[in-house]
Amino acid sequence: MNKAQLVEAIADKLGGRQQAADAVDAVLDAMVRAVVAGDRVSVTGFGSFEKVDRPARYARNPQTGERVRVKKTSVPRFRAGQGFKDLVAGTKKLPKGGEVSVKKAPKGSLTGGASATVKKAAAKKATTAKKAAAKTAVAKKTTATAKKTATAKKVVAKTAAAKKTTATAKKTTAAAKKAAPAAKKTTAAAKKTAPAAKKATAKTTAPAKKTTARKTTAKKTTARKK
């Protein structure tokens, strides 16, 4: 049975061929979209469709027998339900009188299907938003901590520089204090040496003056004799 035959088979039950074709297309489209998105489509009594990840592997080329590497891929997989298996195996008989072979959905399950899907989508979006907000908060805290650490390091560096400057100033002051007594001693020694230098100058000058006076007197005497 192909798709056209399937449409013909359910056309009478749905009120026409166009309605049946639209119904088949809608059902298949919904199933394909759900499986591609990674959801599992399960129909009670019929089976389930799901997406399966197939890892990379080696296979044989059926024509040449050459060993070929197959890349990682995803494939759809169908698992028949127990009711479907029992009907195919013959352990159960197909219902007569136009009744469907697949179990009908329980009452109330069809009314909440759409709302449940919407709720799941909303819950996923809310969870994603919460995770994003949490990551943003962590990033902000990390940035703030980094800024505080950098500021603390700068303060520590400034404090260390200030301590070094203070230590240098203290050393300079101590050296100045040590040099002050020596300067005082030098000044005192200079003061003591000054009177002695004055006396020595006076003594040296006095004989020189006497010698000059004698020479002057001798010249005057020589002049008179002439």
Side-chain angles (χ1 to χ4, degrees), residues 6 27-52 75-81 84 102:
L6 176 62
V27 170
L28 296 179
D29 182 69
M31 294 174 65
V32 169
R33 290 181 181 276
V35 173
V36 170
D39 294 334
R40 186 170 181 267
V41 180
S42 180
V43 180
T44 305
F46 176 68
S48 61
F49 297 87
E50 60 185 340
K51 179 180 178 180
V52 178
V75 296
R77 181 171 63 186
F78 170 73
R79 288 183 177 179
F84 193 5
V102 179

Side-chain angles (χ1 to χ4, degrees), residues 103-116:
K103 291 183 180 179
K104 293 183 179 180
K107 293 182 179 180
S109 62
L110 296 178
T111 57
S115 60

Side-chain angles (χ1 to χ4, degrees), residues 20-101:
D22 292 340
V24 171
D25 289 339
V27 170
L28 296 179
D29 182 69
M31 294 174 65
V32 169
R33 290 181 181 276
V35 173
V36 170
D39 294 334
R40 186 170 181 267
V41 180
S42 180
V43 180
T44 305
F46 176 68
S48 61
F49 297 87
E50 60 185 340
K51 179 180 178 180
V52 178
D53 294 328
R54 182 176 293 175
R57 68 189 193 284
Y58 286 96
R60 295 284 181 181
N61 188 332
Q63 296 179 353
T64 62
E66 182 182 1
R67 192 166 180 255
V68 181
R69 180 174 175 79
V70 181
K71 295 181 180 180
K72 178 181 178 181
T73 184
S74 297
V75 296
R77 181 171 63 186
F78 170 73
R79 288 183 177 179
Q82 190 60 44
F84 193 5
K85 291 179 179 179
D86 292 341
L87 291 173
V88 173
T91 55
K92 285 186 178 182
K93 294 182 179 181
L94 286 170
K96 297 180 180 180
E99 295 182 6
V100 295
S101 58

Side-chain angles (χ1 to χ4, degrees), residues 47 50 60 70 105 109 123 149 151 153 156 182 204-205 219 224:
E50 60 185 340
R60 295 284 181 181
V70 181
S109 62
T149 304
T151 304
K153 287 182 179 179
V156 171
T204 305
T205 306
K219 286 182 180 181
R224 288 176 183 177

